Amino acid sequence: ILDDLRISLPYVDRQVGLLSPPDELADDQLDQFSVEYWTPLDEDTSMRAFGLAFADEGAVGAAGEFELQFQDLLAERSTSRAAILANTNEFNDTFGIRTAQNWQLGNQSVGLLYQLQYVRERDFPSDLADFLQHRVRATGTFSSGSDWDLSLFGEFNVIQKEVAWSLGMFFQTR
């Protein structure tokens, strides 16, 4: 069991975005501890559990996720994932489910993801405090096989009647 246990300290989320200014970093402190466990359940199925706790300038929070992954469930050379996730912090509590499907097509891959989260905001008027958030994401990765990869994505988030979307591209050479 311990061969499959991964502990990271500190945890750095590389998808968060831009760095803070140096003067802001000098006074801020964020302590994080995360644990991730992955194990195969059989030849085509695996399980992953992830937990995170943090303390940030007096605020504390935690997040957790449990995921099952299935190889070749819907098609050959495909990966299907289903997860439950939860998060609590100074501003809100969330609980959700996520399903994702990826297909490998030669050197290319495409993927679809759907996530539904129930969000309860803290210190909001009661009629605005509870809502559902829907997230849909499509991805495509195209590879030359040796020199470069091009990844494209489109994402839609629906929160009550508000819609947000993003498009992105990532190009990498080796």
Side-chain angles (χ1 to χ4, degrees):
I1 285 181
L2 291 179
D3 291 337
D4 296 321
L5 182 66
R6 287 178 257 169
I7 297 176
S8 59
L9 181 66
Y11 173 75
V12 177
D13 187 350
R14 305 217 187 287
Q15 298 177 8
V16 169
L18 301 175
L19 294 175
S20 299
D23 58 329
E24 192 176 304
L25 287 175
D27 295 330
D28 285 350
Q29 179 175 345
L30 173 63
D31 297 319
Q32 290 185 328
F33 179 79
S34 65
V35 176
E36 182 173 13
Y37 178 75
W38 176 91
T39 189
L41 300 177
D42 63 32
E43 186 177 296
D44 296 322
T45 308
S46 62
M47 182 269 305
R48 182 181 73 87
F50 173 79
L52 168 75
F54 70 88
D56 177 11
E57 299 294 315
V60 296
E65 187 171 308
F66 177 80
E67 179 181 86
L68 292 174
Q69 182 172 304
F70 307 92
Q71 297 297 322
D72 303 326
L73 181 67
L74 298 182
E76 225 177 283
R77 300 190 71 208
S78 72
T79 304
S80 306
R81 296 187 319 269
I84 58 173
L85 48 131
N87 183 355
T88 184
N89 60 56
E90 180 181 9
F91 304 106
N92 58 39
D93 297 315
T94 64
F95 179 77
I97 58 172
R98 180 176 56 238
T99 183
Q101 179 66 42
N102 289 65
W103 296 270
Q104 191 69 35
L105 311 164
N107 288 340
Q108 288 36 267
S109 68
V110 294
L112 290 173
L113 175 142
Y114 173 74
Q115 182 171 306
L116 174 65
Q117 278 195 147
Y118 166 76
V119 180
R120 170 162 280 199
E121 296 288 347
R122 298 183 200 281
D123 300 325
F124 268 62
S126 62
D127 60 332
L128 300 174
D130 299 318
F131 58 88
L132 292 176
Q133 178 179 358
H134 301 268
R135 176 180 171 216
V136 177
R137 182 180 179 98
T139 59
T141 300
F142 310 93
S143 176
S144 70
S146 62
D147 298 320
W148 57 267
D149 292 326
L150 173 66
S151 296
L152 304 170
F153 75 87
E155 184 168 315
F156 289 90
N157 285 280
V158 179
I159 302 171
Q160 293 175 336
K161 296 177 184 176
E162 301 293 322
V163 176
W165 59 272
S166 61
L167 300 173
M169 178 182 80
F170 181 81
F171 182 74
Q172 177 177 315
T173 62
R174 295 184 274 284

